[in-house]
Amino acid sequence: MPAYNPKLIEQKWQRLWEKSGLYTTDIANATKPFYNLMMFPYPSGEGLHVGHAYAFSGADVYGRFQKMLGNEVFEPMGFDAFGIHSENYAIKVGKHPAELIEHTTAHYEEQLRKLGNMYDWSHKLSTTDPNYYKWTQWLFLQLYKHGLAERKEADVNWCPSCKTVLADEQVITGRCERCDTETTRKKLKQWFLKITKYQERLLANLDHIDWSEKVKAAQRNWIGKSEGATIHFAVNMPGAGNAEAQKPTTISVFTTRPDTLFGVTYLVLAPEHPLAQQIAQSNADVAAYITKALKKTEQQRIAEVGAKTGIDTGVTATHPATNKLIPIWVSDYVLSGYGAGAIMAVPAHDERDLAFAQTCKLPVVEVITANDTLVNSGQFDGLSTREAQKKIISWLEQNNHGTATTTYRLRDWLISRQRYWGPPIPMIYCDSCGEVPVPKHELPVLLPRLDDFQPKGKGLSPLATVDSFVHVSCPKCGADALRETDVSDTFLDSAWYFLRYPSSDCVDKAFDPKITKRWLPVHMYIGGAEHSVLHLLYSRFITMALKDMGHITFDEPFTTFRAHGLLIKDGSKMSKSKGNVVNPDEYIDTIGADSFRIYLQFLGPFEQGGDFRDDGVQGAIRFLNRLWNIVHKTHRAAKMKDSPDVQAVLHRAIKKVTEDIGTLKYNTAIATIMGFVNSLDADKGGDAILSIDQARLTVQLIAPFAPHITEELWALLHDYDGRSWKKEQSIFNARWPQYNPEFIVETTHTLVVQINGKVRDTIEVTTGLSNDELQKRAFASLKIQTCLQGKLTKKVIVVQGKLVNIVV
RNA sequence: GCCCGGAUGGCGGAAUGGUUUACGCGCAACACUUAAAAUGUUGUGCCGAAAGGCAUGAGGGUUCGACUCCCUCUCCGGGCACCA
């Protein structure tokens, strides 16, 4: 028997698979298409790490399983190679990103190939390829044409280190997602994609898509729907004689608790609020406060939680229900970007309002709700909170004091980046024609090769320094015009890539309608939960927009999405900054991809992740060696008749493994096969060894996890010749094992006998005995009789096939 | 503060309300070996000499019976966060 040599076998089969085109999908004609997608990586200079290997091989297990079930599986791979991450790395190592990308993607591809995943490399794509980003630009223009892209001046997040603006989703508690630098606010004219137009649909669809629950929760959270009311308060502006001030003025506030209306003690305006600004013109103290507040960074504001500052404007408003005068304050604990930028403060029911009232020594109003019943609320006393909310809203509406209102936390997606490494936004500005889209036939707007590509700061992309790029003639009137010099966010590149893979050869369209109809939406998508509110939300938005524009017929891109877990090492998540990243290459080189894949997927449930420990890989190696030996022994013995003792265990394993792979419980699937293989080892008398057919079934069960060794053993069990091997002979083209229900019927089982719920004895009984018979057997047990001595039996519980519980 | 996960042997982890600890790692003994590695066999929750008792983060509850269901709490991981 040859010794198991993973390196040799893996090279052999990777070569034969490629030569035979086993994983090349018939995109145009597939009748049972299954699109198995995993999030494409951005190729960092450090190369693929163990986290990638874990996620990708886990996704590949699922793809191979689907293929073995008879589906035509399309499993593509590509590179998200545009973006700040790639550009920052290029700056760090002092190379041009274009050159670097060539090198890093080649390295990634090599590493990915060694893992043995069933990628169809003929559909590889890179977001940096002009043939790709031409269509990213086209997508932007489509959005523009349909009013979903808009250039507007706004207060935006600015990262001083990356020298670019960022989307809200890319700012994590006031810091840049990429470099952790504190972000600042900047007023700039930028391009936004109107994702907020889709907020209700993005939220509603979550109820019927099959996605990991935690990702759906994160998206709901991020969209942040709040139902409540807008309430108008009449303002009593001082300064008679001033024509401006004598106009009736109102402040509108948003609240989710209209039932606390009678607890309002004061109003607070955000420093940015127009009325605050207006008051500041005649009140120097207010002006000073606002100036100071607006200078604060996000971080400073967050640091001040609890120690709130503010200023009384001296102006009052009239309470719509009680007609009492209430003071108006300005404070930066009220955010301008949410709701109405002004609030009604109810210290009795809101911690923040209470903190502010205490700091600023405002009189606090008594309780409004006691035991879910309204008090001190005039005509609304005695109502429950829920009833009161409804009744107060209708009262407000009848008296023109307010309306029912729904607000969302979601903001529009800012996609302009003042950086180099991205697709130029295809717009031209002309003095007489205004914003002019680049005509489709002029796409792509090529990213010029710049030797000095470093960000310049000051809110302009490095492209602004290239005269030949900037100066163009207007496509409409021919006059001198200027190009947009910002590039688009890398998340726009990845918001539609799943549409491109099957159509990657398509030259005249972003995606071919026929192909798209056949292959999309994606059947299974696997990736990290860290993209919950970035990539995964953006992709859903773009898909909805494309549907509404008539380009596709579905509005959700991924039918099923599963978030894989994280690998933990030395107690924390693997990351570059923690210095606990493991390179998969050394493992694959020493123990082989198959052992490594088995080890990774055996660590824990795929959706939970696991603890990566070096010493654990031994188990996987031993297991595959055992399998190798048993199959070779079987092949030599060439037994054609199935061993009956093995049949029941084998078929139970088939049932369990099939269920477990389908639900991504890879760890228990592997454990089941290990248990089966161990049971064979135990009786090595020779007689009990598997038949050829049984060995084939065994090998098939492991194939999704360890593709190379199983392909080799499959060929051995069929006496295929490596030189004339054809893809039709592959184990992955063979039908997945079916269990025979007759074989797994149990003839005997263990009957557990309990007294007061505690196990006192176990008895082997034939299956199917009557309750009376089971009870009789239980009482016949010597152990039970001993335990029961002198005790009165009160009750006996019999559970068929399981136990007898005697209550005394 | 809010929202999602978790908490089970020395460790990673298994368990349709019914034998807690599958499978793996580690460890121990034995076999093979001149020896080691590798491999194989057996054992391995804790206390106890044994009979037996006690164990699934803590405390209650439902139940003949709870890791599993309900309530209260603690701790750990992740996400959101002055969002009114």
Side-chain angles (χ1 to χ4, degrees):
Chain A
M1 179 194 319
Y4 170 41
N5 182 335
K7 207 164 192 172
L8 223 67
I9 288 170
E10 288 173 14
Q11 280 171 359
K12 168 183 166 186
W13 287 106
Q14 283 171 17
R15 206 179 54 238
L16 283 174
W17 288 336
E18 173 144 27
K19 203 174 113 193
S20 66
L22 178 61
Y23 304 132
T24 309
T25 320
D26 185 355
I27 292 289
N29 304 307
T31 51
K32 292 177 77 184
F34 191 97
Y35 192 169
N36 189 57
L37 184 65
M38 50 203 90
M39 287 182 182
F40 64 167
Y42 77 85
S44 79
E46 285 83 3
L48 201 75
H49 66 74
V50 148
H52 291 122
Y54 177 65
F56 293 154
S57 62
D60 184 65
V61 169
Y62 197 79
R64 289 184 180 276
F65 177 60
Q66 290 299 332
K67 185 171 171 67
M68 293 175 87
L69 287 176
N71 291 313
E72 289 169 75
V73 176
F74 178 47
E75 188 171 298
M77 182 43 71
F79 300 101
D80 188 16
F82 257 149
I84 297 186
H85 36 72
S86 299
E87 189 182 323
N88 281 354
Y89 184 75
I91 292 170
K92 194 174 125 196
V93 299
K95 286 204 173 132
H96 195 277
E99 279 152 23
L100 210 57
I101 283 308
E102 240 175 83
H103 182 254
T104 51
T105 52
H107 183 216
Y108 260 62
E109 189 173 328
E110 191 198 320
Q111 287 184 296
L112 284 166
R113 282 175 185 274
K114 283 204 286 187
L115 250 177
N117 287 357
M118 49 177 283
Y119 296 127
D120 181 350
W121 286 105
S122 67
H123 285 263
K124 174 172 75 173
L125 61 80
S126 170
T127 53
T128 55
D129 184 341
N131 286 321
Y132 182 86
Y133 73 74
K134 169 181 179 174
W135 300 110
T136 307
Q137 292 172 337
W138 168 84
L139 171 63
F140 174 86
L141 292 177
Q142 287 295 307
L143 294 165
Y144 179 76
K145 198 171 133 194
H146 290 85
L148 292 169
E150 183 189 31
R151 190 168 181 245
K152 60 182 179 194
E153 173 121 352
D155 214 10
V156 295
N157 306 299
W158 172 263
C159 173
S161 163
C162 291
K163 300 189 172 90
T164 180
V165 298
L166 298 171
D168 282 345
E169 288 82 0
Q170 288 159 331
V171 180
I172 315 295
T173 48
R175 292 177 175 276
C176 171
E177 182 226 8
R178 293 247 50 95
C179 67
D180 207 36
T181 306
E182 203 175 290
T183 58
T184 58
R185 308 293 292 181
K186 215 172 189 164
K187 253 208 158 70
L188 285 171
K189 209 167 184 188
Q190 301 283 298
W191 281 101
F192 290 84
L193 298 185
K194 294 187 168 173
I195 190 171
T196 54
K197 273 205 168 174
Y198 287 86
Q199 53 201 8
E200 194 48 54
R201 201 150 140 207
L202 286 166
L203 192 63
N205 277 8
L206 287 176
D207 292 339
H208 64 73
I209 53 178
D210 176 23
W211 283 32
S212 293
E213 211 41 57
K214 61 175 168 181
V215 171
K216 292 211 249 181
Q219 293 205 352
R220 280 193 192 101
N221 225 327
W222 187 259
I223 295 167
K225 180 177 181 172
S226 297
E227 287 177 282
T230 301
I231 304 179
H232 312 304
F233 289 79
V235 178
N236 313 298
M237 283 298 268
N242 180 336
E244 184 72 18
Q246 275 178 343
K247 279 193 211 153
T249 311
T250 59
I251 296 176
S252 298
V253 303
F254 172 72
T255 179
T256 53
R257 296 289 307 274
D259 54 300
T260 63
L261 179 62
F262 286 76
V264 175
T265 32
Y266 56 99
L267 302 182
V268 193
L269 307 176
E272 295 89 346
H273 196 280
L275 187 70
Q277 305 272 346
Q278 193 188 325
I279 294 168
Q281 285 170 18
S282 56
N283 185 327
D285 292 341
V286 172
Y289 177 81
I290 289 175
T291 311
K292 213 173 113 194
L294 293 182
K295 265 194 199 148
K296 286 183 195 168
T297 65
E298 200 86 356
Q299 283 290 302
Q300 281 169 315
R301 275 200 182 195
I302 290 164
E304 278 172 15
V305 173
K308 300 184 177 7
T309 62
I311 185 160
D312 189 351
T313 61
V315 180
T316 58
T318 306
H319 191 287
T322 64
N323 288 324
K324 277 187 196 154
L325 291 185
I326 51 177
I328 300 172
W329 286 62
V330 174
S331 170
D332 61 11
Y333 87 93
V334 174
L335 307 173
S336 64
Y338 182 79
I343 61 156
M344 58 179 220
V346 186
H349 288 283
D350 187 290
E351 271 179 52
R352 295 153 304 175
D353 294 345
L354 183 63
F356 184 74
Q358 283 166 347
T359 316
C360 300
K361 311 234 162 23
L362 282 146
V364 168
V365 160
E366 57 283 9
V367 179
I368 292 303
T369 308
N371 301 322
D372 196 41
T373 302
L374 260 65
V375 293
N376 298 325
S377 298
Q379 52 175 310
F380 302 103
D381 276 357
L383 293 177
S384 74
T385 306
R386 267 185 82 100
E387 289 169 329
Q389 289 180 350
K390 278 192 214 146
K391 293 251 164 84
I392 291 183
I393 287 175
S394 29
W395 180 85
L396 288 167
E397 286 178 342
Q398 277 159 24
N399 296 284
N400 289 326
H401 289 313
T403 51
T405 306
T406 303
T407 63
Y408 298 84
R409 185 166 55 212
L410 186 68
R411 297 279 85 100
D412 279 333
W413 174 15
L414 166 54
I415 57 141
S416 302
R417 295 293 178 276
Q418 291 71 48
R419 295 289 295 235
Y420 170 67
W421 197 233
I425 294 174
M427 293 295 291
I428 290 166
Y429 307 115
C430 167
D431 278 344
S432 39
C433 307
E435 284 168 4
V436 183
V438 173
K440 191 183 166 189
H441 67 267
E442 283 180 24
L443 296 181
V445 176
L446 283 171
L447 179 69
R449 163 87 191 203
L450 279 196
D451 286 330
D452 178 14
F453 58 87
Q454 300 233 7
K456 302 287 174 260
K458 302 196 172 123
L460 281 180
S461 152
L463 292 178
T465 63
V466 186
D467 281 351
S468 57
F469 178 81
V470 175
H471 295 281
V472 285
S473 46
C474 171
K476 259 194 193 163
C477 70
D480 285 350
L482 299 173
R483 238 186 233 293
E484 167 68 58
T485 55
D486 286 351
V487 299
S488 57
D489 182 6
T490 176
F491 281 101
L492 184 60
D493 303 331
S494 58
W496 74 280
Y497 80 111
F498 45 90
L499 287 163
R500 183 65 186 173
Y501 270 137
S503 298
S504 60
D505 300 329
C506 192
V507 287
D508 58 342
K509 287 195 180 72
F511 40 86
D512 180 274
K514 259 181 151 169
I515 289 175
T516 305
K517 193 159 182 238
R518 192 177 291 266
W519 287 95
L520 280 114
V522 171
H523 300 87
M524 174 57 117
Y525 194 30
I526 287 176
E530 68 273 18
H531 285 111
S532 298
V533 297
L534 290 157
H535 164 61
L536 287 169
L537 192 63
Y538 296 148
S539 298
R540 294 183 60 218
F541 156 55
I542 292 296
T543 303
M544 286 175 188
L546 284 170
K547 187 193 173 193
D548 290 356
M549 294 187 263
H551 293 293
I552 53 178
T553 54
F554 47 93
D555 66 357
E556 285 292 340
F558 316 120
T559 306
T560 302
F561 171 77
R562 290 290 177 272
H564 63 252
L566 293 175
L567 286 188
I568 302 297
K569 174 136 166 89
D570 307 325
S572 54
K573 157 184 163 179
M574 276 193 201
S575 71
K576 266 181 279 169
S577 56
K578 297 226 169 66
N580 58 356
V581 175
V582 177
N583 182 341
D585 292 5
E586 43 194 285
Y587 286 92
I588 292 175
D589 288 346
T590 53
I591 68 168
D594 285 335
S595 292
F596 194 52
R597 289 167 63 113
I598 294 256
Y599 166 65
L600 289 176
Q601 301 311 330
F602 186 61
L603 282 176
F606 186 57
E607 291 179 78
Q608 257 173 58
D611 192 351
F612 187 95
R613 315 164 70 86
D614 286 346
D615 53 8
V617 296
Q618 265 318 315
I621 301 169
R622 280 183 197 140
F623 167 58
L624 289 185
N625 266 306
R626 248 178 248 152
L627 176 75
W628 176 269
N629 293 337
I630 284 168
V631 172
H632 273 85
K633 252 192 246 172
T634 306
H635 179 245
R636 232 171 16 203
K639 224 170 83 147
M640 299 321 275
K641 204 164 165 260
D642 289 341
S643 308
D645 344 354
V646 171
Q647 209 66 320
V649 198
L650 175 59
H651 280 254
R652 257 177 235 134
I654 293 172
K655 182 169 189 280
K656 173 82 172 142
V657 170
T658 307
E659 288 163 359
D660 284 358
I661 297 181
T663 52
L664 308 186
K665 307 267 171 55
Y666 300 151
N667 57 331
T668 48
I670 294 169
T672 303
I673 311 166
M674 282 176 168
F676 173 64
V677 169
N678 288 349
S679 77
L680 301 174
D681 249 12
D683 30 10
K684 51 179 185 268
D687 278 357
I689 225 158
L690 301 170
S691 69
I692 293 286
D693 274 344
Q694 289 173 324
R696 286 175 184 166
L697 293 173
T698 309
V699 168
Q700 278 181 286
L701 291 182
I702 312 164
F705 301 100
H708 312 87
I709 186 177
T710 49
E711 188 78 280
E712 173 75 16
L713 293 174
W714 184 256
L716 175 79
L717 288 169
H718 287 86
D719 296 311
Y720 292 144
D721 181 358
R723 277 160 303 185
S724 60
W725 190 84
K726 293 184 290 291
K727 68 178 178 186
E728 287 72 25
Q729 297 173 324
S730 171
I731 188 171
F732 299 104
N733 276 328
R735 227 169 82 94
W736 181 255
Q738 301 262 306
Y739 75 92
N740 183 338
E742 282 170 32
F743 294 157
I744 64 175
V745 173
E746 294 188 317
T747 52
T748 66
H749 73 270
T750 310
L751 180 74
V752 173
V753 186
Q754 300 180 329
I755 295 174
N756 288 342
K758 295 203 170 177
V759 181
R760 292 297 134 150
D761 199 8
T762 55
I763 312 167
E764 274 305 300
V765 295
T766 41
T767 302
L769 291 182
S770 69
N771 282 10
D772 284 353
E773 190 59 34
L774 289 173
Q775 197 168 325
K776 223 159 90 187
R777 302 282 176 101
F779 279 100
S781 153
L782 276 180
K783 276 193 198 167
I784 296 302
Q785 286 174 4
T786 316
C787 294
L788 284 177
Q789 260 170 23
K791 284 170 186 150
L792 205 70
T793 304
K794 283 188 199 154
K795 193 173 171 185
V796 180
I797 312 273
V798 181
V799 181
Q800 280 283 333
K802 292 238 165 75
L803 56 78
V804 173
N805 187 17
I806 302 163
V807 186
V808 294

